[in-house]
Amino acid sequence: MSEPVSSSGHPPKPFNARGSFVVRCPTCRMPERNCLCPYKVTTESRARFVLLTHRLEHNKPTNTGRLIRDCLPETPVFTWSRTEHDPELLTLLNDPAYLPLIIFPDDQPDYAERVVGPDAVERALEQTRRPLFILLDGTWRQARKMFRKSPYLQDLKVLPLSSTRTTRYRLRKSASEAHLCTAEVGAELLTLAGDARAAQVLDDYFDIFNTCYAESRRHHTTETSTPAMERQLARKHQR
């Protein structure tokens, strides 16, 4: 799949913030000294993801949605627009082979009738329908806007993610330790769908991303292999 473009047909706004002049791997976008590519392992899942990504997130090296696509290559990425939509996205949402579920908290009463529980995923799998997890890929503020301002999403079921885990993501400040980043949410959803191996692959890949990025910020090269790195390399050798 080609790189995502905005609804106007133009490529996403380039990343020009701090760190924009670092020499990066063109594939994983990490600083070359801490490239993620050796640890990239593709996997499969009975569920499928859709990343609806805010335009400001596409080229941010701290964005973790792209880790899901690395591990699950069939994951499409769409640039969010309030009024326009990609025909491919609507095709997926209307495909009877899928049960589309927007991952969002159930903290407001005005959409309570759309909220479903984890059993909806189990029922879909029993009916040989693939859960289609729609991830609003952006900051919490951006995600709330995307959820509220997208007419083409207003009739879809909402699946809140209940997790006892706290975030391990340290590259941006979160309003709450309970706010998981996009990749962490993806791993939790894979576990919910019964895809334990895929969940572990993504979780380890995210852990490696965290480690390598932290070392890059200190201008260090990751020299000590972590357990997550060792597991990913072992999986690559098993393929």
Side-chain angles (χ1 to χ4, degrees), residues 8-220:
S8 65
H10 300 296
K13 182 179 179 181
F15 177 71
N16 291 319
R18 184 178 62 181
S20 60
F21 296 105
V22 173
V23 178
R24 298 182 181 276
C25 168
T27 301
C28 71
R29 302 180 190 173
M30 290 286 289
E32 285 187 347
R33 67 168 66 195
N34 289 309
C35 178
L36 281 180
C37 294
Y39 307 104
K40 179 180 175 180
V41 175
T42 59
T43 187
E44 297 179 350
S45 171
R46 294 182 296 172
R48 191 176 179 187
F49 291 92
V50 166
L51 290 172
L52 192 55
T53 302
H54 194 278
R55 65 181 181 83
L56 297 179
E57 284 291 310
H58 276 302
N59 289 323
K60 284 185 178 179
T62 53
N63 175 271
T64 67
R66 60 196 171 91
L67 304 181
I68 297 175
R69 191 183 186 189
D70 281 349
C71 296
L72 297 163
E74 69 170 342
T75 302
V77 181
F78 301 101
T79 302
W80 176 77
S81 169
R82 182 177 64 83
T83 57
E84 301 180 42
H85 51 264
D86 191 305
E88 184 182 345
L89 173 59
L90 289 192
T91 297
L92 278 172
L93 298 182
N94 293 315
D95 189 333
Y98 297 107
L99 173 64
L101 298 165
I102 303 177
I103 311 306
F104 201 74
D106 57 345
D107 56 356
Q108 297 297 323
D110 60 317
Y111 56 88
E113 73 283 353
R114 298 166 54 197
V115 174
V116 297
D119 56 316
V121 175
E122 183 178 348
R123 289 197 304 270
L125 292 170
E126 289 173 351
Q127 298 166 4
T128 65
R129 295 181 73 191
R130 294 183 73 183
L132 185 68
F133 297 130
I134 302 164
L135 301 182
L136 305 178
D137 188 22
T139 65
W140 274 99
R141 186 173 183 177
Q142 290 166 347
R144 289 186 180 278
K145 180 179 179 181
M146 293 158 73
F147 181 79
R148 293 288 186 181
K149 302 292 185 180
S150 306
Y152 49 94
L153 301 178
Q154 295 308 304
D155 294 329
L156 301 182
K157 298 297 184 183
V158 177
L159 176 65
L161 180 62
S162 299
S163 175
T164 58
R165 297 180 67 174
T166 56
T167 186
R168 290 173 288 143
Y169 186 59
R170 292 293 180 265
L171 305 183
R172 301 187 209 172
K173 185 176 181 180
S174 177
S176 168
E177 290 292 304
H179 288 177
L180 305 182
C181 71
T182 304
E184 290 174 308
V185 169
E188 291 286 290
L189 291 169
L190 288 169
T191 299
L192 178 62
D195 291 315
R197 182 184 186 279
Q200 189 61 62
V201 167
L202 177 57
D203 201 55
D204 281 343
Y205 192 49
F206 167 70
D207 191 73
I208 296 166
F209 167 82
N210 249 349
T211 299
C212 290
Y213 212 110
E215 290 295 286
S216 296
R217 283 188 165 177
R218 291 192 288 267
H219 306 289
H220 294 167

